Structure formats: C-alpha cells, structure tokens
Amino acid sequence: MNIKLPPLNALKAFESAARHLNFTKAAEDLFVTQAAVSHQIKLLEDFLGISLFYRRNRLLELTELGAQYFYEIQPLLEQIALATDKVRQQSSRQILTISVPQTFGMHWLVPRLTDFHDKYPEVEVRIKGVDQDEGLLGKETDVAIYYGKGDWNDLEAIRLTESRIVILASPDYLSQNSIHSPVDLVDKHLLHSSTYNKWKKMVEHLKIEDKVDAETGSIFSHTFMVLQAAMHQQGIAIANQILAQHEIDKGTLIEPFPTSLFDEKSFYVVYSPQSKQVPKIQCFVEWIQQKMKECYA
C-alpha cells in the first residue's frame, strides 16, 4: 500500500505549537529556532493544503481543521513514542527520567536512590528538579512526583501516603528557647514556605490563633530553604513530614512537641495511562510505594 505521510519533523513542530499555542515555546520544546518551527508549520500547511493556525498579532489560534488534526494526530504521535521506547528498553541500558519537586528530591528521594539502583541496576535514573507540577508530563519525562489533591486529568496518580504537618527546630535553638507546648510559640520567629497558609492552619488547629500571629516571620520560596534556616537557628519551621524526614532522622531538626494536623495535600506518583505496562515505570512505582510503606506504615 502506497501511503503518503507528511514530514515527521513538521508533525512534531505542529503538535508542540498546537499544544502551547506559541511558536517560541514549541521551539524551546524541540531545541530549534522559532524560524525553524514556522518553516515546518508552513511545510505541513502546504502538504495538507489548509491553514492550521490563525495568526493574530502575537496570538496564535488553531483553525477548525487545525484543531481537528491536532486532536487526531497527538495520540498517534504518543503511540509512536511509546512503541519506540519499548523497543529501546530491550537493550540493557534503560533510562528512567523522573520529575520531582526540588525539596522532595533532595530530602526524600535522592537519599534512598541507592536502594533502587541495587534492585534495578539495568535502569539509569535521571532526576529533574522542578518548582511545582504542571498538570502534564513532559515529553522527556517518564514518571513524576506531584504534590496536590490527585485531581489531574489524563494521568494515572497513585497517592503515596498521608502525612502530618510538623513543627521543627534545631537542637541548639531549643536549648536556648524553651518550647514544650503550643503556647511556647508566642513571640517566636516563624519560618514559612511560599505562603503563611501552613502556619495559619497550624495555629488554628492548636487553638492559639489569638496568641500567635501566623502572618509574621520569614518566607522562603522552597521548603528546603525553610529547613536550612531552621537548622541555622533562625526560627521555628513548619513542613510536610515527608519533606523533613531526612533531617528528622539525622537529628538536625526536632519536633518540640507532637502535632496531629495532617496535610490536606499529598504526594503522588504519576505517569501517563499509556505507560502503565512499561517495565521501568512499573519498577519505580512499585519501589517507591514500598519505601513509603516502610517509612510511614
């Protein structure tokens, strides 16, 4: 059968441009110039004999036929990528790319990766630290750790564990500041990650909101910075227990008193539904679930 197919590079450029509705972001995706993306789109439009996009000043919008074509070819390109990945996995060297929030990677995953390497020496792990999940897996990512409520569309999401919110301070800080109960937090310097939310929920949970102003103290962009600040005796930290587990195990940070407030969000291992049977992904998903059970059962 003589089937005339469009150029693959043009299809890749179209898929990325249609997904982002932006030629610049498509160029970043494909590691080419914006001009190269525009050229590939023009080749595809000439091949099809239709316009795929409306170009309105700086805005890009799919035409009706362009949208139809995008929704029909996107899953086919994904199937090609998966089929290619399966063939590549038959070699002895398998690459598993994992996207993780930076603090989770630094303080929980990386310290335990030796165990994964020992169990699956044929899998070469590549870790990508990100600020937050984007609701979609990138083309170069096999599996990811997301922090949220598990309501991501078109993704398999497995909740890893429920986790407490913990209050933490360094041993030296606690030796100089007597903190044994919630009321001892009065006038202490609070350390926050991104927002005041966790401390606000904690003081409400401890029923000390009339005594402790949760909207004071230092704010850091990442939890690992909050933990570092606490280790350097700059105040009292608050964090999801999973993110602080490494420091708790080492004894560099201590809970001055126990709390029973659980995080409304959780960590999930997520992957594309089409990747469910990929061996290297199955290995990682099973491994991280088991490690979580060992730590928090």
Side-chain angles (χ1 to χ4, degrees), residues 7-296:
L8 181 57
N9 284 339
L11 284 179
K12 288 167 61 179
F14 169 65
E15 187 277 339
S16 186
R19 181 159 38 88
H20 292 294
L21 290 179
N22 187 293
F23 282 0
T24 300
K25 289 184 178 179
E28 293 171 356
D29 251 5
L30 302 171
F31 300 102
V32 298
T33 64
Q34 182 178 342
V37 171
S38 296
H39 176 69
Q40 292 296 333
I41 297 298
K42 182 65 168 59
L43 284 179
L44 185 58
E45 288 179 328
D46 289 345
F47 179 90
L48 296 170
I50 63 170
S51 294
L52 295 168
F53 295 97
Y54 295 118
R55 297 163 178 83
R56 294 170 175 158
N57 296 323
R58 296 186 177 182
L59 297 176
L60 200 63
E61 182 180 345
L62 284 164
T63 65
E64 183 176 352
L65 287 176
Q68 176 185 328
Y69 194 54
F70 171 63
Y71 289 120
E72 289 183 358
I73 69 161
Q74 188 183 40
L76 300 178
L77 289 173
E78 188 168 0
Q79 285 298 320
I80 292 172
L82 288 170
T84 303
D85 192 49
K86 286 180 181 178
V87 171
R88 292 176 63 190
Q89 286 177 42
Q90 293 176 11
S91 67
S92 59
R93 181 170 174 262
Q94 299 180 44
I95 296 173
L96 179 69
T97 303
I98 308 167
S99 172
V100 296
Q102 293 188 43
T103 304
F104 184 93
M106 292 169 59
H107 289 260
W108 196 92
L109 182 59
V110 171
R112 293 170 173 81
L113 273 181
T114 299
D115 182 69
F116 183 80
H117 295 320
D118 290 343
K119 286 183 169 63
Y120 306 103
E122 73 281 4
V123 180
E124 182 178 313
V125 173
R126 295 182 181 176
I127 303 292
K128 295 197 312 184
V130 297
D131 286 338
Q132 61 184 8
D133 72 78
E134 299 174 355
L136 289 172
L137 289 180
K139 293 292 182 183
E140 304 302 319
T141 302
D142 297 305
V143 64
I145 303 298
Y146 282 1
Y147 175 65
K149 296 183 178 181
D151 52 355
W152 301 284
N153 295 326
D154 303 320
L155 287 175
E156 292 287 334
I158 300 174
R159 187 186 188 196
L160 293 175
T161 188
E162 186 177 42
S163 183
R164 285 191 304 124
I165 299 296
V166 291
I167 296 171
L168 297 165
S170 72
D172 288 341
Y173 185 92
L174 292 175
S175 69
Q176 299 169 30
N177 297 270
S178 179
I179 302 176
H180 301 289
S181 67
V183 292
D184 296 328
L185 295 173
V186 175
D187 296 330
K188 298 300 185 294
H189 190 75
L190 306 182
L191 305 174
H192 308 264
S193 174
S194 300
T195 69
Y196 296 117
N197 287 347
K198 281 189 171 58
W199 266 118
K200 287 172 70 174
K201 291 181 184 300
M202 181 59 76
V203 299
E204 290 171 5
H205 175 73
L206 297 174
K207 302 187 185 327
I208 54 171
E209 62 267 33
D210 59 333
K211 299 181 178 65
V212 175
D213 185 356
E215 296 189 3
T216 62
S218 303
I219 296 182
F220 301 85
S221 62
H222 293 79
T223 302
F224 70 81
M225 295 181 181
V226 174
L227 301 176
Q228 283 288 316
M231 285 188 283
H232 286 86
Q233 305 177 52
Q234 294 175 20
I236 308 292
I238 192 167
N240 182 293
Q241 183 181 354
I242 291 175
L243 298 182
Q245 194 63 53
H246 186 59
E247 303 305 334
I248 294 172
D249 291 343
K250 289 197 305 180
T252 52
L253 290 176
I254 297 171
E255 281 190 84
F257 55 87
T259 59
S260 57
L261 176 64
F262 281 85
D263 198 339
E264 61 185 10
K265 297 182 180 180
S266 299
F267 286 98
Y268 291 77
V269 57
V270 303
Y271 51 92
S272 167
Q274 292 85 356
S275 303
K276 193 169 187 177
Q277 301 304 319
V278 176
K280 65 182 180 181
I281 294 177
Q282 285 183 315
C283 290
F284 179 77
V285 171
E286 291 172 4
W287 173 81
I288 196 169
Q289 287 181 283
Q290 181 59 38
K291 295 306 290 184
M292 281 286 176
K293 287 179 183 177
E294 291 174 7
C295 291
Y296 304 107

